[in-house]
Amino acid sequence: MTDRLSAEELAAMLDPCGNEPLRLARKILVLAETGSTNDVAAQMARSGEAEGVVVFAESQTAGRGRLGRHWESALHKGLWFSMLLRPGLAFSNWSRLTTWVAVGVARGLEEALPGCRASVKWPNDIYLNDRKAAGILIECSTDANGFAVAGIGVNVNHSREDFPEELITRATSLREASAKSEEVDRQKVAVALLRQLDRLYCGLAEDFPALVAEAEARSILIGRQIEMRGAAGTGTLRGIAEGLEPDGSLRIRTEDGLVQTLSGGEVSICGWW
Ligand code: BTN
């Protein structure tokens, strides 16, 4: 049986006593279909909506990933949602959101799937068993009414054949990673993710070093030979990933022994795929 997302059920699961909704999930919307949940949340932000809206869609017709890529959002198979945020931080620190979401999603997946270890492929892909299970797309508007939208896509009940050809060897789902035959309850996963993200949100301002330390401990890149294509002015940058800097950027030692920090982009592990 395929489960359905329900805004009322999600709200009740998050706040069973009905008196203290999560700061980040004050209002929950579930859409049957939309272009991109990030666009819906951004539109609400531009109309003056406060922080704390979460928009889920059962399917997206124009789901997007980082670097302008298409994001496959199969009907009822995954969790495709966006959170509207108005971080109380200087804009120069909004890059911290990346580390926060990555750690929150990793913790949420582990809560939903006890026994699984979730890793972070910097900056914001979440891996289970060396395959990508979730991706994060953060989009910001830093004008006077600034807001950020954290879009999260989680492969939950996909089977191998549900992934497009080019992702078959790289992607996984929670169901596959759990090695159980029954479907994973998407609402329980959504609740675990929202709770963990909400719990960690204050750490953005108050204890960011702890978030960076956890992202580093979960990183699949550290100690590995990596490369980044199209790195500014260099063509391809290769080196060993050494660690994360206090602001969450990636520190690498290049082949000629120099230390470089990367604040974003797409890195690959040499020798993978
Ligand atoms: C990536 O891995 O490149 C990021 C993928 C982010 C996908 C999510 S699904 C919900 C939200 N809406 C979108 O259009 N994208 C994000």
Side-chain angles (χ1 to χ4, degrees):
M1 200 194 98
T2 304
D3 64 345
R4 298 284 185 273
L5 299 176
S6 147
E8 292 71 30
E9 285 175 21
L10 286 166
M13 289 163 78
L14 284 164
D15 180 20
C17 301
N19 50 18
E20 207 181 343
L22 297 187
R23 170 177 175 186
L24 295 187
R26 209 177 27 82
K27 191 190 271 190
I28 297 173
L29 304 181
V30 176
L31 308 175
E33 182 181 281
T34 190
S36 158
T37 55
N38 268 32
D39 289 340
V40 177
Q43 193 49 52
M44 293 175 80
R46 285 189 201 98
S47 307
E49 186 73 49
E51 175 169 87
V53 175
V54 187
V55 182
F56 289 86
E58 288 285 17
S59 92
Q60 298 182 111
T61 53
R64 60 178 176 273
R66 294 173 61 237
L67 309 174
R69 293 185 187 130
H70 169 73
W71 178 265
E72 194 69 36
S73 320
L75 182 68
H76 303 307
K77 293 281 176 186
L79 287 170
W80 327 122
F81 67 102
S82 301
M83 310 174 78
L84 167 54
L85 310 164
R86 296 194 187 268
L89 297 172
F91 287 140
S92 55
N93 285 332
W94 282 26
S95 60
R96 294 181 181 188
L97 290 169
T98 300
T99 307
W100 159 68
V101 190
V103 172
V105 171
R107 283 196 190 190
L109 296 189
E110 288 179 358
E111 181 185 324
L113 281 191
C116 278
R117 173 77 182 157
S119 305
V120 176
K121 177 169 173 280
W122 182 92
N124 42 19
D125 290 341
I126 309 301
Y127 276 49
L128 297 172
N129 301 335
D130 286 345
R131 290 174 184 232
K132 179 166 170 172
I136 296 157
L137 174 68
I138 298 179
E139 296 176 316
C140 300
S141 165
T142 53
D143 59 16
N145 294 312
F147 64 88
V149 172
I152 299 167
V154 185
N155 304 326
V156 181
N157 282 315
H158 296 62
S159 315
R160 287 292 70 222
E161 57 274 17
D162 293 318
F163 292 115
E165 183 73 30
E166 67 277 13
L167 296 182
I168 286 231
T169 56
R170 304 179 188 201
T172 191
S173 67
L174 273 59
R175 182 180 184 180
E176 185 178 62
S178 76
K180 295 199 181 123
S181 53
E182 66 264 28
E183 290 204 343
V184 175
D185 183 330
R186 288 183 304 147
Q187 298 207 128
K188 284 194 183 151
V189 178
V191 165
L193 293 170
L194 293 175
R195 279 223 188 92
Q196 292 290 351
L197 286 162
D198 191 78
R199 198 172 290 156
L200 290 175
Y201 194 53
C202 58
L204 274 177
E206 290 163 16
D207 198 8
F208 190 60
L211 285 177
V212 174
E214 183 165 339
E216 189 176 85
R218 291 180 178 279
S219 173
I220 59 170
L221 299 184
I222 309 301
R224 290 182 131 138
Q225 176 86 23
I226 61 159
E227 68 177 28
M228 182 187 217
R229 287 196 201 100
T234 62
T236 297
L237 190 63
R238 283 199 193 85
I240 303 285
E242 282 194 338
L244 298 183
E245 292 289 289
D247 67 353
S249 53
L250 181 68
R251 186 177 67 256
I252 67 170
R253 189 166 295 272
T254 60
E255 288 165 331
D256 48 13
L258 298 175
V259 170
Q260 298 235 13
T261 56
L262 306 175
S263 57
E266 175 91 340
V267 295
S268 44
I269 299 175
C270 298
W272 274 35
W273 308 308

